[in-house]
Amino acid sequence: MTSCSTTSVGGGARALLVAAALVAGTAGAGAQDRATDQLVKFHQSRVAADPDDPLAHNRLAAAYVQKARESGDLTYYGLAETAARRSLVLLPRGASAASATTTLALVHMAHHEFRQALVRAREALDLDPGEAGPHAVAGDALVELGEYDGAAQAYARLAGRDGPRGSDSRVAYLRFLQGDTAGAVATMRRAVDVVRAANPLGEPSAWARAQLGDLLFGVGDVGGAGAAYRDALAAAPGYHRALAGIARVHAARGQLREAAERYQNALAVIPLPEYATALGDVYARLGRAQDAARQYALVEYIGRLSALNKTVYNRELALFYADHDLKLPEALALARAEQQARGDIYTHDVLAWTLLKNGHAREALEPLRQALRLGTRDARLFFHAGMIHRALGDRDAARDYLGRALALNPHFHVLQAETAVRALAELGPAGGRP
């Protein structure tokens, strides 16, 4: 699968594709890609035939959003925005306007403009109170803003309009954040069943199965995660999230060469910075320092490629720098900038981590408290908490958090899991001498 378009794309997107080809070669377009490309072409032709048809622009905008979801290419969200805005100019009220406004809210989400996304979602609800989509976008925006009670209310309203299971995948993520991992997995399995029953093939089905894989991996069920990722690939061959998930499973099992190959495959589809980081870490474990350095350089290249990338990938780049002890003052600046747009627990976690890496362990305690406030059972959060308390000399708390990270998922990260093991060993048994 490639992110080649059926219409003109910007220089940034082309550069991303060139980077992907340089890193990992090319990949053949999958059936889902081709189907969406044909859909985009069809609606482009309808717009060309009648430029004043608001519904044609609206449907073209929806097709661009689907292409963006499948390919990971942010350029398509810009194209969707143009089409949706034209639809609103032509028909500023009614159901069509609500749909176009929801599309604009999705574009804001993709651009990490979460407050603007929430405003647009509420505008869409004013235009058509019975529409389900704006509730979903509003809930998603509230999650990113860290307003979890509001998000739960939005998802409850969505379920009331879109069927009792329409919001299952979103509710599953909320339950995970709130520490209910068993409930999260059960709810996500239900979401997979619903999507599979509607259509067993395609990106929506693959996305749900990959999300299930992420949840299972997070709770240490590596085998279950691998099965979910394979199911996702069956639904959409070449799906990049499934390829990266399978790579994580291989890495957790110590199958590093297989992990590297799968990360290369994922990068060939769309060069996301987290894939390049993970591949570099696998190379580091394999002792291939030069190959690791090339991947790490690619992470920075992607993160700085355009003004949009610098906004969208702030948190990923901050985490990358902190994890690898690179450009630590810049990592902290990026984390602080991200906090201006987001208030979720993972943004607080990255801020705490970058503060620690810059020698401000005491200052890291407040964002760490915010990161842990929901009781989320995430090994990465526990690892960061353990290392912060270790730096502060609070050995009991450090020992507790590092032990919880490894008990939850002893393979949570290809490099940092080993760091956690070493740090825990250095702390010694509870009650022991330093």
Side-chain angles (χ1 to χ4, degrees):
M1 191 192 308
T2 71
S3 53
C4 296
S5 70
T6 57
T7 187
S8 175
V9 297
R14 282 195 296 271
L16 282 175
L17 296 176
V18 170
L22 288 172
V23 173
T26 59
Q32 183 73 16
D33 255 351
R34 291 192 294 270
T36 304
D37 288 342
Q38 291 302 314
L39 187 66
V40 168
K41 284 182 177 179
F42 173 76
H43 290 304
Q44 284 174 334
S45 69
R46 297 302 296 256
V47 167
D50 187 357
D52 294 327
D53 181 355
L55 293 178
H57 286 282
N58 211 356
R59 290 164 181 159
L60 178 59
Y64 282 139
V65 168
Q66 182 59 33
K67 183 63 182 177
R69 279 177 55 96
E70 291 170 8
S71 67
D73 187 341
L74 296 174
T75 305
Y76 288 103
Y77 284 111
L79 297 172
E81 180 180 9
T82 299
R85 288 188 183 280
R86 180 58 182 163
S87 179
L88 284 172
V89 167
L90 294 167
L91 191 64
R93 302 294 303 176
S96 177
S99 178
T101 303
T102 302
T103 297
L104 292 178
L106 287 170
V107 170
H108 285 305
M109 287 293 295
H111 291 173
H112 289 200
E113 298 162 347
F114 302 115
R115 291 183 180 84
Q116 296 95 314
L118 183 59
V119 169
R120 284 291 191 180
R122 288 170 173 167
E123 288 176 359
L125 286 171
D126 288 341
L127 290 164
D128 186 355
E131 185 69 22
H135 290 294
V137 181
D140 294 348
L142 288 164
V143 166
E144 298 296 342
L145 292 169
E147 299 178 23
Y148 297 109
D149 290 342
Q153 293 169 10
Y155 294 155
R157 289 190 288 269
L158 170 63
R161 287 161 172 78
D162 204 31
R165 295 183 179 180
S167 59
D168 272 349
S169 63
R170 291 174 164 89
V171 172
Y173 183 58
L174 265 184
R175 287 182 175 172
F176 168 75
L177 291 175
Q178 293 163 345
D180 180 10
T181 54
V185 170
T187 305
M188 197 65 223
R189 288 192 188 279
R190 203 160 56 236
V192 168
D193 290 342
V194 170
V195 175
R196 180 188 285 120
N199 189 348
L201 302 178
E203 188 272 341
S205 186
W207 180 88
R209 298 178 209 192
Q211 288 296 110
L212 174 61
D214 290 346
L215 279 175
L216 291 170
F217 189 91
V219 299
D221 184 357
V222 175
Y229 293 134
R230 289 191 296 273
D231 283 348
L233 278 182
Y239 186 51
H240 62 96
R241 297 186 190 281
L243 292 168
I246 289 173
R248 275 209 301 172
V249 169
H250 281 308
R253 290 173 169 164
Q255 299 163 340
L256 298 178
R257 288 178 177 80
E258 293 86 347
E261 181 180 354
R262 286 298 194 173
Y263 278 129
Q264 288 168 356
N265 295 155
L267 276 164
V269 179
I270 180 68
L272 294 178
E274 56 263 40
Y275 300 166
T277 299
L279 179 56
D281 290 345
V282 169
Y283 283 146
R285 277 286 306 277
L286 286 167
R288 295 168 57 176
Q290 289 186 340
D291 289 330
R294 278 192 286 269
Q295 294 306 313
Y296 296 155
L298 179 61
V299 174
E300 290 194 90
Y301 175 77
I302 297 168
R304 301 172 183 279
L305 186 61
S306 67
L308 178 57
N309 284 32
K310 290 175 183 177
T311 299
V312 171
Y313 297 131
N314 268 351
R315 191 165 75 184
E316 285 79 1
L317 198 55
L319 184 63
F320 165 74
Y321 284 147
D323 282 348
H324 298 86
D325 294 316
L326 300 169
K327 301 183 180 179
L328 294 178
E330 185 172 346
L332 180 55
L334 289 168
R336 291 193 188 282
E338 187 72 2
Q339 198 180 31
Q340 299 305 306
R342 267 176 162 162
D344 69 312
I345 63 168
Y346 288 105
T347 299
H348 286 291
D349 170 64
V350 171
L351 178 57
W353 188 232
T354 56
L355 282 165
L356 171 68
K357 289 299 185 118
N358 278 274
H360 307 306
R362 184 68 55 186
E363 190 180 344
L365 282 176
E366 176 53 26
L368 175 63
R369 186 185 69 80
Q370 292 291 329
L372 298 173
R373 72 184 188 271
L374 298 180
T376 309
R377 299 184 68 239
D378 185 317
R380 189 183 90 186
L381 297 180
F382 293 155
F383 169 66
H384 290 169
M387 298 301 282
I388 289 168
H389 282 288
R390 176 174 175 260
L392 290 168
D394 187 346
R395 299 170 64 82
D396 288 339
R399 192 181 293 109
D400 175 60
Y401 279 118
L402 292 172
R404 289 164 70 182
L406 293 168
L408 179 63
N409 186 354
H411 312 291
F412 70 90
H413 189 276
V414 68
L415 297 180
Q416 291 174 348
E418 290 189 351
T419 301
V421 169
R422 289 195 299 271
L424 190 58
E426 290 167 4
L427 288 166
R433 285 187 157 188

